[in-house]
Each structure stands twice: as C-alpha cells, then as structure tokens.
Amino acid sequence: MTVLDSPGRIGDEQQENAPVIPERSASPFPQNQMRRRRSLPGLAWQQAGRAPATICYLVVVWIAGLLTGSIADGPPHWLSRHVGAGLPSLGHSYWWTPLSAGLWACGLGGYLAVTVLGLVILAPAERRVGVRRTFTALLVCQAGGLLLAAGLIKLAWLAREPWLSTLTGATAVGALPGMLGVGFVLSCTLTPLWRRRLRLLLTAAVVISALYLGHLQQVAQACGAAVGFAGATLSYGRARPRAGLRMSAHQARVLASMLVAAPALGGMLAALAANADGPTSLFSFLFAAPGPDPRNLAATCRSPGLAVVCLSLREQQLYAHWPGVPMLAAPALLLLLSAYGLRRGRRLAWWLAVVINLAVLAAGVRVSYAVGSHSGMHIVGLRAGGWAIPLRREAMLLPVVTLIVLLVTRRRFDQTADRRAARKLTTTVTAALSMSCAAFLLLACLPRDHFSPRPDFGVLAQDLPAWFLPGRLFSNRFFLPEGLVGRLLCAWVFLLFWIVVLGALTQFFLHTRTNRDADAPDRARDILATGGSTLSYMSTWPGNQYWFSPDGRAAVAYRAIATVAVTVGEPYGEPAALDSAIIEFARFCEHRGLQPCLYGVTAQARAVTQRLGWKSVQIAEDTLLPLDGLQFTGKKWQDVRTALNKAAKEGITAEWWSYPQAPPDLVGQIRQICQTWMAGKGLPEMGFTLGGLDQLNDPHIRCLLAVGADGKVHGITSWMPVYASGRPVGWTLDLMRRNTEPGAFRGVMEFLIATAALTFGQEGARFVSLSGAPLACLDRGERPSAPQRLLDMIATIIEPVYGFQSLLQFKAKFQPVYQPLYLAYPDPAAFGSIAAAIGRAYLPHLTLREALHMLTKLGWPLTKLGRVEGSGAPPIGCVWSTHKKATYTVGGCNTTRPGLSCPDTRRGEEQPGVEGEDMR
C-alpha cells in the first residue's frame, strides 16, 4: 500500500500568513430562521403604497382619458384646441395649456408610456426626493419644456428654418416632458454609476426621438429634459465635486457605441412611426426602410413619366412584408453589433463603424449633389412632398461627429481575437458570400420567368451587389422579380446570408481571447504556494485562465464566459499584495471589455470591493473546523463518536492514498461508487468549484478511503491543501462519495471527516474546511438586498434537486465556524449576465434533455406546499422528499409539511433520507 508522506509540523513562521479563522459563534446557527420572502402581488402592493401621489396622478390621467374618449386616439379636436399646448393655443391666450396637456396623452401608446415612466421615474423620485419636490419639478419641467419648445418654433419660423418652422400649427399633449425632466432630478440622488447611466439613457432617448421623429411632442420632451437637467444642476450640482474632463477607457467606449447605435435605433424608430419628419430621418432609409405609402405608389405608377420611380417603389413594396422585413433591418442590426463590439473595445467593430459611417456620409454627399444639380438620379423612400431634402447637409452632421469621435478614441479599441476566431469568422463570411452569389445567379438563370423584364446574365451579375441591400435610398434597377419563386429567391437567398454573417459576428464579438501562455499554470502554482484561501487550490483545475499582478506576487484564476470574468475564489499569493490585486484585476477586465465577478470571496476581499463601490451577495457558507485541541468529547459530538466506534467494531479502516498511485482495485471501486451516485441523481454533475474524478489526478490532493476488512470501499473523501509560506496550513474537503449498496456503512462520512481532522491536526495543520455549501446561507440579521432575495428564491427552487440546505445541516454535526462567502461585482445592472455565466460555469454542457429532466425533479407544486409560512426556503436540516410527510419543530411547535424529511431536533439524530454527504 502506498501511503502519502506526512508533511512536517508547521512552525509559527509559516503560519503567520494562514487564512484568518473567524471566532466560533455561540450557536452553529446564529438565528435558526430563513429570510422572509414576499409574494409578487404583496411586493407590488408594497411598492405602490410607497408612492401614493404618483398612483393618484396616474389614476387621474386615465380617468380623464376615459371620460373624454381620448384613450384610443388622443383628445378629440374640439378638446385638443383647449388643452393641447402649442403656438395656436398660446396665440388664443390659453395660458393653462402647458399644464393641462399633462392630463391627457396622444393615444393608447402615449397613455402606456406615461404609466410606465410614472412608475419608473415618478415613483422612485417621490420616495427619494419627496412628494413636494417631485411634483414641483414635474410642473416646472412640463410647463417650461412646452414653453421653451414653442419659443424655439417661433424663432425658427422667423428665421425660415425648414424643420421647426413646419411645427407652428401643431399642438401636443402628454406628461412626458415633465417626467423626463424629473428623471434628471432623480439622477442627482443616485450613485455616480447610476446617475451617469440614467442621464445617458434619457439624453439618448430624447435626442434620437427628436432627430428622427421630429414632431412637437419630441421637441417638447427634449426641452423638458433640458429644463430638468438645468434645474438639477442648479439645485444639486454645487454640492457635488466636478468630474474631470479626461474620460476613462470604458467611458470612451460607451460614448462611441452610443453614437454608432443612434442611427440604427433612430432608423428603426422612424420606420415604425407613422410620419417621421426629423432632420436626420432622410438617412433612416439606409438602416430600416419602411414600405411605400399605397396611395403614393398608385399615384406614381399612373404617371407614364415616373415609370422608373414606380419601379423603385414597387421594389420597396416587395420588402415591406415577410421575409423582406428582416432584410431591410439587416444594416441596422449590423450597426448595433458594431456598437456592441465597440463597447467591448474590439478593433474589428471600430473598422466596421468607420466604414459604415463613411458609406452614410458618401450617401449624403451623393444626395446633395443629386439635388443641387437636378440630375436624373431617383431617390426612393421619400414622400412626394418630402421637405427633408433641404436638410441633407444637417443630416450629415451625425456621421461626421461619429467619425470624429471614432478617430479621436481609436486607441481605446485595441482588443483583438485570437487567430482561430478570426480565421473562423473569415471563413464563414467568405463561404456565405460565395454561396449566396452562386445560388442567386444559378437559380435566376435556370427558369425563364423569375424577373420582368427578363435580364441577361451580365445584367444580373452587375446588379448582384445591390440585392444585398435592397430598397435603399438609390435605385436604378429596371427589372423586378415576378411570381412566388422569384420573390422567394430574392428574399431568402440574401436573408440567409445576413443571418449567417450576423450570427458569426455575434459569436466573434462574444468570444474572449484566451491566454495561450503555456507556463501560466506553473507560475500560478508557484504563487499559490505563498498563500491563498480555502478555494484557491481549485484554481489549478483545467479550464481556468490566469491573470498575474505586475510584480508577480499575486494571481487570479478566472473563466471568461461571454462578457463575464468569473473568478475561482479571491486573489491568492502574498497577503500584502492581495488588496491591490483586486484593483488591478478590475482594470484588466475593463481593458478587455469583461465584467469582473469575484466569486467565492471572503469578508476581507469583500471589504476591498466595498471601498471600490462594488455590490455583493452571499452565495455560500464556508464551514471551518479549527484543529487546535480538537477532541470529540461531549454530547454535541455524539454522532461523530458513534461513527468512529461503529467503524472500529465493523473492522473498517481509513487509508490515505494518492489517486494516481492507488491500486486498480480501489480505483475501480471508486469509479463505480461515483457512477452509481451520478446515475441515482439522474442529473448532470456540476463542475467549476465542485470537483469530480478528473480533479483527483493530482499528486497534491490526498484521498481518504474507508475500506472494510474484505477490501470493500465504503466511502471516499478528497482533500486539497491550503498554503501559506510554502507549506499547507489547512485542508479543504472536496469530493464526498459513499457506497450506496446494501450493507454499506452508513456513518462513513462522519468517520472519514473525523479521521481526517485528527490526522491533519497531528501533522500541524491549523484547520480543515468542510467547503462551502452553495446557496445555503445563515440569517445574520442583515436586511437582504433584491439580488439576495432572488438567490434565496433560486435556492428554494433547486433544493429538491441538489439539497444544499441538507448539506449545510450535515456539516453542522462537526460544530464548525461559519464563514460567509460572497459574490462581488461592480455593476448591478450586469447581475443577470453574471448569474448566467456562473450557471454556465457549473453546467457548461447542460443539454436540453437534461434541463427538462431537472425541471421535472424540481417539484414545483411541492415547493409551494412545503414552504414554511413567512420563509423562502425549507427549515435548516430539512430535505425534500416525495415519499412521505415529515414532522419537525419550528419555534417549539411540531409542524407537518408534505414532501419534507427533517432531522429530529429533540434528539439531534438524523432520520433516514437526510444524506447531506451525497450532495457534493
């Protein structure tokens, strides 16, 4: 038998850098209660009760709309003249209209928009700013925005400006100008991150809608937002330090991405609107061209002199319905993908944005030349009286500004993919382009009646590039597809091309360049020997990437999943370098366009992230067993002593092995035990921080087996070292599997853990960690945040499958010290993508069939039936069972719940069905 050599006793000089063990609490469960989780209706009622003034205002708006019949299409004409704001009503001395306009909306969409913004902006402002200040700001921004818009329109009429001067006869209703102004006031009460985001979102919304829609409502909204911003600056700006003019890399990337995305969003908005008359609506046809007006089409085609224009409008009509609609939206989607890539700092996205904006600028120059020279070029997509032509130069302002910003910030976009990803993208795009061209030319030439009039092969080949962007601003095509086959040919061939190209670009921008340094794992192991947490040894497992501090004293193991960098524990290395390592790693992720996510960090690392303004939630409960003076005496160790005595009576011994050097007979039994455990679960085995057989092939991991006199393996545990100053100062429990065959020793886990603890204590280790119980958290009296309540709900749902609470109860037998483990992240808005990335880290190969099988095992009705009133999870120590009802004690009362199996709290004995050791 090969037994691992025991390390020598660790002196005080090696133990000074060991992880700090928290003091043992008086009770293993400080408060044996779970966090209270309200139902969704109760939560909604609670939020509504916190903003009564906003609810009353919205009720008044809806009642006014119902009484006057304004819900469907806005106020009738007779009422609009008296309550709508604009130059006509102000000219009739209707001074109240800037305020009365806030009691109505322009239609059902307007009423819904007012309701949504009221709940999203007014209600939070009422809670944070107060009722008086909120509605004062609402009235000031509403009246000021409409009056300012009327003044600008009057000045434009006097100056003969071609856009705003057309709005002199318009009136507007709706409270959106005031609500948007309140949004800027609300932003002053938020943290710097959310203040910047809210202001950027509101500014982008009002600017895009004003430039592309251009109606009086949008102009008034922009003016109301400007009044709100000015008022917020005067009221709150003096109390806040001024931000520097120098932008960070992340801010520059966000600014460039917003400018690039604006034409795409504006083009789609203009295409959906009934009458888009904004100054930049001329170029919206380059990104999302709408179908022609039927009356305009009929009038044009009746005139013999407009035959070519009629042909162009008929071409647009072909793509106004499915499957032509996605074809028209393809350029806009390409621009949005470029904006997403710019946000991540990708160099290819920068080139795409530059090329697209140069193309838009060239189209503007061409329009200016065509209109100025009165050439015979046909410009499709414009209305018969399209006044947008005089604004062709103003429309070119946005691409010019975008190009300037891209050129100034070009150094910020230096992230490239590895050669494999670039080669895959190039191959995919080339293949899609070649197959699309070949398929179109081949299928167009075989039959005879696909086009009218029928073109020859040379004309088809010459006109082929225009079919990738059909129905655009210019068209000189003299033939169109005829019949169902021709229309499908022109639509589906190029639609499939765009689907493949956009999908390949999406995958390319989501891909994160991996670290190809072959020496990185060895360097990480060397740094790991200087110090780490109880999870740090998991950084040596396959699948991890490594970041090293500039001085080489600290390292971080992480997995880049989509746009999130999920770390394996906290930074490890020399203790003095760990705090700065968190800051440097965050900068590294920002430069790479990744969202940092410190997973499984201790309170010390969490304190560093809190100083940086990060958020955190508790995701596990680590259980530490101090070994100094450990003795299994007293009533609280009764279960452990029983397991040790029973093992001695049955002739079961504990044997230390290194899995790579273990005899084939033992290895075969270990594999059989693990396979049987997986088959019994019927669910995929979780990875990431939960080890399996593959992780045992490491000479530094020690395996403790319970072997009977007949050589039968009754259970196995594996232990990972926790280093400090080059030597192990503690050990972390990883794999736990017991033999489930009839006649196997049931207390095998208590026996193995107790034996390991005694052995490590004799070798000089300070502690053992029974590892963290994921999603099993104690109530320490802290008020849970919204993400924490979400995690509690998820824990309740998946408890029937993985039983994390029962695992925590099992570890409570060893009277451990509880240490919370946290998930720390800088951006609360990215919590959804972080949760998805962590799920993929644990279950990277989850199939649809396995996911459906997991849902069937969740037992949704049983989850609701088995919930303790006022709690979001089963009581600690209870596991879900579909075989029986169970009785347990809560607050001194016996309670029966269907589907729960719990330990007898009076005797401290474990009832059948609580197999916490099988949950890992």
Side-chain angles (χ1 to χ4, degrees):
M1 180 179 67
T2 303
V3 182
L4 291 177
D5 295 333
S6 301
R9 189 169 185 84
I10 303 173
D12 295 337
E13 66 279 1
Q14 281 83 22
Q15 296 196 26
E16 61 181 2
N17 294 334
V20 178
I21 304 177
E23 295 182 359
R24 189 190 300 275
S25 58
S27 170
F29 296 100
Q31 300 181 30
N32 193 11
Q33 299 175 0
M34 302 304 297
R35 301 186 181 95
R36 180 177 179 85
R37 178 166 60 88
R38 293 179 178 269
S39 61
L40 291 179
L43 184 61
W45 180 258
Q46 180 189 26
Q47 296 299 322
R50 297 175 63 185
T54 299
I55 300 300
C56 292
Y57 169 71
L58 294 178
V59 170
V60 170
V61 170
W62 279 92
I63 291 177
L66 290 172
L67 293 179
T68 58
S70 307
I71 299 297
D73 301 313
H77 181 66
W78 64 269
L79 180 62
S80 179
R81 292 182 301 172
H82 294 82
V83 299
L87 285 180
S89 58
L90 293 176
H92 288 86
S93 300
Y94 297 157
W95 55 267
W96 61 84
T97 53
L99 295 177
S100 63
L103 297 178
W104 281 267
C106 57
L108 180 59
Y111 279 97
L112 294 177
V114 168
T115 303
V116 171
L117 286 183
L119 297 176
V120 173
I121 293 180
L122 280 187
E126 181 180 348
R127 295 194 297 267
R128 302 177 70 94
V129 181
V131 177
R132 182 175 60 85
R133 288 188 177 184
T134 297
F135 280 86
T136 300
L138 177 66
L139 295 176
V140 171
C141 295
Q142 177 75 13
L146 287 169
L147 291 175
L148 179 59
L152 292 177
I153 292 172
K154 184 65 175 180
L155 291 176
W157 180 77
L158 294 176
R160 300 178 182 269
E161 194 271 338
W163 167 36
L164 293 177
S165 61
T166 61
L167 305 178
T168 53
T171 59
V173 292
L176 295 185
M179 290 185 177
L180 292 172
V182 174
F184 280 94
V185 176
L186 174 64
S187 67
C188 296
T189 66
L190 304 178
T191 60
L193 175 63
W194 286 105
R195 179 168 65 249
R196 184 168 59 247
R197 282 183 170 172
L198 181 57
R199 290 181 175 181
L200 182 62
L201 178 63
L202 294 177
T203 303
V206 298
V207 170
I208 290 175
S209 61
L211 292 180
Y212 283 89
L213 297 183
H215 300 157
L216 177 59
Q217 290 89 341
Q218 285 72 47
V219 177
Q221 291 165 17
C223 293
V227 172
F229 177 74
T233 303
L234 294 176
S235 301
Y236 295 91
R238 296 179 180 179
R240 298 182 181 276
R242 295 185 178 181
L245 297 177
R246 184 178 179 84
M247 291 189 300
S248 64
H250 177 71
Q251 293 173 340
R253 291 171 179 176
V254 171
L255 175 62
S257 65
M258 289 295 296
L259 286 174
V260 170
L265 297 175
M268 291 189 290
L269 182 64
L272 295 175
N275 296 298
D277 294 326
T280 57
S281 61
L282 171 65
F283 290 149
S284 65
F285 299 97
L286 293 174
F287 302 107
D293 184 86
R295 292 174 296 180
N296 187 20
L297 176 62
T300 302
C301 293
R302 282 197 299 265
S303 176
L306 299 176
V308 179
V309 178
C310 174
L311 196 65
S312 301
L313 294 178
R314 287 177 56 196
E315 178 189 354
Q316 274 196 313
Q317 190 180 36
L318 290 175
Y319 293 94
H321 307 284
W322 183 263
V325 174
M327 280 285 296
L328 296 178
L333 296 178
L334 179 62
L335 204 58
L336 291 177
L337 268 180
S338 301
Y340 173 76
L342 289 173
R343 190 176 181 274
R344 297 198 63 191
R346 306 304 291 268
R347 184 177 299 172
L348 178 60
W350 186 88
W351 280 108
L352 278 176
V354 169
V355 171
I356 293 174
N357 280 275
L358 285 176
V360 173
L361 190 60
V365 173
R366 194 175 183 188
V367 169
S368 299
Y369 173 78
V371 175
S373 61
H374 303 284
S375 66
M377 181 184 300
H378 301 284
I379 305 174
V380 301
L382 297 179
R383 300 170 187 84
W387 56 266
I389 292 298
L391 292 173
R392 60 192 182 275
R393 295 184 178 87
E394 289 79 355
M396 289 188 289
L397 181 62
L398 182 59
V400 170
V401 172
T402 303
L403 285 171
I404 293 175
V405 172
L406 288 174
L407 291 175
V408 171
T409 61
R410 65 188 183 278
R411 297 180 183 274
R412 307 290 189 178
F413 307 98
D414 56 352
Q415 297 301 305
T416 59
D418 49 39
R419 293 183 178 180
R420 181 179 179 183
R423 191 183 307 113
K424 181 179 179 181
L425 175 65
T426 304
T427 303
T428 303
V429 173
T430 303
L433 180 62
S434 303
M435 293 179 65
S436 299
C437 295
F440 176 77
L441 294 176
L442 180 62
L443 296 177
C445 293
L446 287 179
R448 297 291 181 178
D449 301 323
H450 280 340
F451 299 96
S452 177
R454 183 189 175 199
D456 55 21
F457 182 82
V459 174
L460 280 174
Q462 183 180 0
D463 197 56
L464 179 59
W467 287 104
F468 287 94
L469 296 172
R472 294 297 139 190
L473 198 60
F474 310 105
S475 178
N476 289 317
R477 185 178 293 120
F478 67 89
F479 62 93
L480 289 177
E482 291 289 341
L484 178 62
V485 177
R487 290 194 295 269
L488 292 179
L489 172 64
C490 295
W492 279 106
V493 169
F494 301 103
L495 176 61
L496 292 177
F497 164 81
W498 280 110
I499 291 175
V500 172
V501 170
L502 294 177
L505 279 173
T506 302
Q507 185 178 12
F508 181 81
F509 288 144
L510 287 175
H511 175 77
T512 301
R513 187 169 186 173
T514 57
N515 188 0
R516 298 296 183 182
D517 186 3
D519 298 331
D522 296 333
R523 293 174 57 195
R525 279 184 178 270
D526 294 338
I527 297 176
L528 177 63
T530 62
S533 67
T534 57
L535 301 183
S536 294
Y537 196 83
M538 299 175 184
S539 64
T540 63
W541 292 353
N544 296 324
Q545 301 183 49
Y546 300 96
W547 170 87
F548 301 98
S549 62
D551 56 9
R553 297 194 300 162
V556 175
Y558 69 96
R559 299 192 181 190
I561 302 174
T563 61
V564 181
V566 184
T567 67
V568 184
E570 58 193 45
Y572 55 88
E574 297 184 18
L578 299 185
D579 291 356
S580 61
I582 295 177
I583 302 174
E584 294 296 331
F585 179 72
R587 293 174 180 171
F588 163 79
C589 291
E590 179 181 345
H591 180 69
R592 285 289 188 93
L594 295 172
Q595 186 70 230
C597 164
L598 303 185
Y599 183 81
V601 299
T602 59
Q604 290 81 2
R606 180 201 186 197
V608 178
T609 62
Q610 286 179 331
R611 291 195 294 268
L612 298 176
W614 290 23
K615 301 297 181 181
S616 62
V617 294
Q618 186 180 349
I619 47 91
E621 201 75 54
D622 198 2
T623 48
L624 301 176
L625 180 58
L627 301 180
D628 187 17
L630 177 64
Q631 294 181 355
F632 301 121
T633 59
K635 185 177 180 180
K636 60 184 179 180
W637 296 101
Q638 179 180 350
D639 292 346
V640 178
R641 288 198 310 272
T642 300
L644 291 172
N645 296 333
K646 187 176 179 181
K649 291 179 181 180
E650 296 185 8
I652 298 175
T653 59
E655 299 181 3
W656 287 102
W657 289 94
S658 172
Y659 185 78
Q661 301 176 3
D665 177 57
L666 293 182
V667 173
Q669 292 189 63
I670 293 172
R671 290 185 176 275
Q672 182 63 35
I673 290 173
C674 294
Q675 292 173 0
T676 304
W677 179 84
M678 284 298 303
K681 285 289 182 182
L683 296 169
E685 187 174 12
M686 302 178 74
F688 191 36
T689 61
L690 300 177
L693 281 177
D694 295 338
Q695 283 70 36
L696 296 183
N697 287 306
D698 187 333
H700 297 88
I701 292 180
R702 302 173 67 175
C703 298
L704 183 61
L705 280 62
V707 184
D710 56 353
K712 178 180 179 180
V713 177
H714 291 260
I716 176 178
T717 58
S718 67
W719 300 85
M720 303 177 297
V722 181
Y723 291 104
S725 301
R727 302 298 297 273
V729 296
W731 294 85
T732 300
L733 175 63
D734 180 34
L735 184 71
M736 291 191 298
R737 298 288 186 270
R738 71 176 185 88
N739 197 329
T740 57
E741 295 179 356
F745 181 40
R746 289 194 56 84
V748 64
M749 286 298 118
E750 291 89 339
F751 166 69
L752 289 175
I753 293 175
T755 303
L758 293 174
T759 302
F760 292 140
Q762 294 171 2
E763 295 173 353
R766 293 182 57 192
F767 66 92
V768 294
S769 169
L770 304 183
S771 70
L775 299 180
C777 306
L778 304 183
D779 187 358
R780 293 179 169 83
E782 300 177 357
R783 182 179 180 181
S785 61
Q788 189 71 65
R789 291 194 295 268
L790 176 62
L791 289 182
D792 292 343
M793 182 178 65
I794 295 175
T796 303
I797 293 174
I798 68 175
E799 177 67 21
V801 178
Y802 288 103
F804 296 128
Q805 286 288 350
S806 62
L807 175 63
L808 184 63
Q809 173 65 19
F810 167 76
K811 295 176 180 180
K813 296 179 180 182
F814 298 91
Q815 314 303 316
V817 176
Y818 293 90
Q819 177 174 270
L821 297 179
Y822 298 94
L823 166 68
Y825 52 96
D827 187 359
F831 186 78
S833 59
I834 289 174
I838 294 174
R840 287 182 57 188
Y842 274 107
L843 296 170
H845 306 296
L846 181 67
T847 62
L848 178 60
R849 180 179 180 182
E850 292 172 338
L852 294 176
H853 182 60
M854 182 184 297
L855 291 177
T856 60
K857 296 201 67 172
L858 288 178
W860 298 84
L862 294 178
T863 302
K864 295 180 180 180
L865 291 173
R867 182 184 303 155
V868 181
E869 184 176 356
S871 67
I876 294 177
C878 301
V879 293
W880 299 92
S881 174
T882 57
H883 304 294
K884 62 178 181 179
K885 295 183 179 180
T887 301
Y888 54 93
T889 302
V890 177
C893 301
N894 291 332
T895 306
T896 301
R897 288 288 187 269
L900 287 174
S901 178
C902 303
D904 191 333
T905 57
R906 295 165 298 179
R907 295 176 298 168
E909 296 177 359
E910 185 182 3
Q911 301 297 320
V914 180
E915 300 294 346
E917 63 268 25
D918 283 348
M919 297 301 159
R920 193 160 171 78

